[in-house]
Amino acid sequence: MIANKTLKLSLKSLRDFAKKRLPDQTLIELDARDECPIEIVRHMCSPDKLGIQLLFIPEEFGGFGGGAFDVYLVCEEMARIDLGVATSVLATFLGSDPITMGATPEQKKLWLTRIAEEGILFAYGATEPDAGSDLAALQTTADRVMEDDRIVGYKINGSKQWISNGGIADAYTILANTPAGPSWFVVEKGAKGFSHDEPEDKHGIRTSNTAALALSDVYVDADRLVGGVEGQGLNQAQAVFGYTRLMVAAFGLGAGWAALDRAIPYSTKRIQAGAPLSEKQGYTHKLIVPNVARLEAGRSFIEETAERIDAGEGSLNTEGAIAKYMSTEAGNLAADASIQALGGYGYTHEYMVEKIKRDVRITTIYEGTSEIMEMTISRDRWQLHLKTRGQHYHEQARKFEALHASHKDVGANVAALAMHALAELMEKARIGRLTRYQHILLRLGEWIAYAECAGSFARRAALLAEGKLSEKANRRFDAAELAALSRIFAREAALKVAEEGLRWVVGAGGVSEAEMAAFETNLGMPAIHRAQAGLIADMDFVADVLYGRAAKPTALSA
């Protein structure tokens, strides 16, 4: 873990560098030319210059040994600057993750030290044209090269697609099938038979380099097999999903805020019908406040998951999936709303919000699509539902009811309503065998993510009120402001879970006409509807906070 003072200095250096070398106009021009600023990327990853890569490398190999929380903050800051450049930097650490997690001590020393001391760029060669995100379906092969019954090397054949840094990396981790199963190999730039295509003509992140790779009898020595044992590739990849998905979640968060932070000041100057847009609820309560609440809900889950990873709880793959799903979807919605907020200006290449919207869209696709996240979440939590005989989310709800007893203003009671409703929906799905419908499984993943984020947000607001939030945690909002945002999001989450859940469970034939009234009551629909009281007042308060107007928190009844 990096000391808070050191981390803040690193973030300030990153901001200062970006202000000087990557102003908006430069980024817009690079985007128009579809150009990755390779010199700037290498400058950022140079140990004697900006040295961003040092934050990701363990101290024993010459880095600063940053933890998951440190990495989240750096990734958010990079995404605020430019998501394409951020992707180029991330690709090195994604590419080196199989080494960090599964390499031999000698391999780690060689490659991680080179990243720290030389600033070499890596690429992560997993995705294939036909397999997509399904790593188990890969077709690239690595055939053994034998001498005297001893494996001396491998010949790799196959192709990879959508590879970030594909055309500019110095080294690549390539996933290929060996006789014992999928395995990672390190392949260096310039290897005989190894080539890359021209950069992809992408919708967004055009300041990153994305290219297909081709491998034709590419020979590597046996010591380039990561870990020295065949068949460990999928385990090595899955071991970091929670961590890497947290990084992409931070990208969605940073890009979403980058868009809103342009829409908010714009609305103070744009006059409509005699008053600034910032003074109109039709603007603030549709385009700004709900998106702030969703982004900060995602932040709550990112920070909580990062702390747990740093505390040694494992890779937390499902939690990483929830953080990525919520934060990238929120970032995409926020950027879309920001285009709407700027009107015709927002739709032109001249304004950054148009670029940000195109860029942030990829965060819902790479490192696992939102649909894969939904499936990952639902499958894991479905097992918890079965193991606890349907009580898991009822038990979680009771914890938030207890939190509400000591912190009545953080929305914990409404988060509890969302979880009670979720438990009822999952049990009805079990009884009706509704998970045979893939769409029901995907929707369960979404409702679970919303409910758990509502709970996480309430916990974060309570911790801030108690002065117990991590010293590195984001503090854009004070305790009263964060509590109001938590209440806004909890209401949305509870309503989404109950009303959309009712729709799809009924739509799948899980509730008969005779059961309908009782099911609505079991979902807590009346209580969830009553919980919407005070919503406009909370949104007024948050809007006043965002625009620096005199604001007073809503008075809450016990």
Side-chain angles (χ1 to χ4, degrees), residues 18-213:
K19 186 176 181 180
K20 180 179 180 181
R21 298 290 303 275
L22 292 169
D24 284 1
Q25 189 55 44
T26 296
L27 291 168
I28 289 170
E29 290 169 0
L30 286 167
D31 177 83
R33 296 197 301 268
D34 195 12
E35 179 183 335
C36 172
I38 181 61
E39 178 191 350
I40 288 177
V41 172
R42 290 196 179 278
H43 185 112
M44 294 175 76
C45 294
S46 174
D48 58 351
K49 294 177 181 174
L50 199 58
I52 287 294
Q53 86 285 5
L54 298 175
L55 296 167
F56 298 78
I57 302 296
E59 291 182 77
E60 61 188 298
F61 303 116
F64 295 158
F69 210 102
D70 304 314
V71 169
Y72 131 66
L73 290 169
V74 172
C75 285
E76 181 189 2
E77 192 62 48
M78 288 195 298
R80 281 177 172 275
I81 296 164
D82 184 77
L83 199 48
V85 174
T87 296
S88 292
V89 175
L90 167 69
T92 286
F93 306 104
L94 182 60
S96 63
D97 274 336
I99 297 170
T100 302
M101 298 304 299
T104 65
E106 295 78 13
Q107 290 171 332
K108 289 182 181 180
K109 182 177 181 180
L110 171 63
W111 295 109
L112 298 182
T113 301
R114 285 194 65 189
I115 293 172
E117 294 183 354
E118 301 174 32
I120 65 170
L121 302 181
F122 258 82
Y124 184 79
T127 304
E128 296 188 353
D130 296 324
S133 297
D134 184 2
L135 299 186
L138 80 158
Q139 298 176 14
T140 300
T141 59
D143 297 319
R144 296 168 179 168
V145 176
M146 309 293 295
E147 282 186 11
D148 301 325
D149 297 325
R150 182 172 61 90
I151 301 172
V152 296
Y154 294 84
K155 282 191 175 181
I156 305 174
N157 287 277
S159 58
K160 301 291 180 179
Q161 195 163 15
W162 318 124
I163 307 303
S164 297
N165 285 1
I168 63 173
D170 302 299
Y172 302 72
T173 43
I174 300 293
L175 188 65
N177 268 321
T178 66
S183 307
W184 289 100
F185 294 88
V186 179
V187 179
E188 289 190 81
K189 176 180 68 176
K192 184 178 180 181
F194 183 42
S195 62
H196 61 79
D197 286 351
E198 291 297 309
E200 301 284 358
D201 186 8
K202 305 187 297 295
H203 173 66
I205 58 168
R206 293 167 68 84
T207 55
S208 70
N209 175 280
T210 307
L213 308 178

Side-chain angles (χ1 to χ4, degrees), residues 243-532:
Y243 181 80
T244 56
R245 285 170 178 167
L246 211 63
M247 297 167 77
V248 179
F251 279 2
L253 178 65
W257 263 117
L260 289 181
D261 279 336
R262 287 168 168 82
I264 290 170
Y266 169 84
S267 62
T268 63
K269 300 173 184 176
R270 182 75 163 91
I271 307 299
Q272 187 181 70
L277 288 172
S278 59
E279 296 180 8
K280 299 179 184 298
Q281 284 186 345
Y283 184 96
T284 59
H285 290 26
K286 179 184 179 184
L287 302 177
I288 305 298
V289 174
N291 288 296
V292 169
R294 292 183 197 113
L295 286 169
E296 289 306 300
R299 184 191 301 282
S300 296
F301 213 88
I302 291 172
E303 291 193 347
E304 193 170 78
T305 302
E307 285 192 300
R308 292 178 62 191
I309 291 174
D310 287 339
E313 291 191 36
S315 62
L316 301 179
N317 288 350
T318 302
E319 286 75 10
I322 292 173
K324 180 187 184 297
Y325 177 76
M326 293 299 295
S327 299
T328 59
E329 289 289 330
N332 191 44
L333 286 171
D336 189 72
S338 296
I339 286 182
Q340 192 75 11
L342 268 68
Y345 293 110
Y347 198 64
T348 65
H349 289 305
E350 184 181 352
Y351 286 77
M352 276 291 287
V353 293
E354 184 273 340
K355 178 182 180 302
I356 293 168
K357 174 63 178 77
R358 285 187 289 105
D359 287 349
V360 74
R361 187 67 178 82
I362 192 62
T363 65
T364 68
I365 297 173
Y366 66 9
E367 198 58 13
T369 65
S370 287
E371 291 70 34
I372 289 174
M373 298 303 98
E374 289 174 340
M375 187 64 74
T376 298
I377 295 161
S378 63
R379 282 176 171 168
D380 181 75
R381 297 310 197 234
W382 183 253
Q383 293 303 313
L384 278 178
H385 179 81
L386 297 179
K387 288 177 183 177
T388 60
R389 298 180 181 274
Q391 292 303 302
H392 173 70
Y393 282 109
H394 283 312
E395 291 169 0
Q396 293 299 308
R398 286 188 278 273
K399 292 179 181 178
F400 287 103
E401 289 165 351
L403 179 61
H404 178 67
S406 57
H407 291 277
K408 295 188 181 299
D409 64 340
V410 299
N413 57 328
V414 188
L417 291 174
M419 292 186 185
H420 279 309
L422 181 58
E424 293 293 332
L425 288 167
M426 295 178 79
E427 183 60 13
K428 187 63 73 172
R430 183 192 68 79
I431 293 169
R433 297 178 59 247
L434 303 186
T435 55
R436 68 185 185 275
Y437 298 111
Q438 187 188 54
H439 188 63
I440 297 297
L441 267 178
L442 293 176
R443 298 284 55 75
L444 278 171
E446 179 184 20
W447 306 330
I448 289 165
Y450 265 81
E452 292 201 20
C453 269
S456 176
F457 206 167
R459 277 194 296 263
R460 178 172 163 229
L463 287 171
L464 182 58
E466 294 172 1
K468 296 180 180 178
L469 206 59
S470 166
E471 67 172 357
K472 294 180 180 178
N474 182 277
R475 281 179 168 76
R476 180 167 185 152
F477 301 101
D478 67 22
E481 296 160 3
L482 203 65
L485 283 164
S486 180
R487 294 194 298 271
I488 291 168
F489 182 79
R491 292 185 185 102
E492 179 183 0
L495 202 63
K496 173 181 279 289
V497 170
E499 293 197 339
E500 292 187 15
L502 178 68
R503 176 193 184 197
W504 288 109
V505 169
V506 170
V511 182
S512 68
E513 181 67 30
E515 297 172 315
M516 188 68 71
F519 185 53
E520 289 174 343
T521 300
N522 291 341
L523 284 176
M525 296 291 285
I528 289 171
H529 289 154
R530 288 195 299 271
Q532 305 304 313

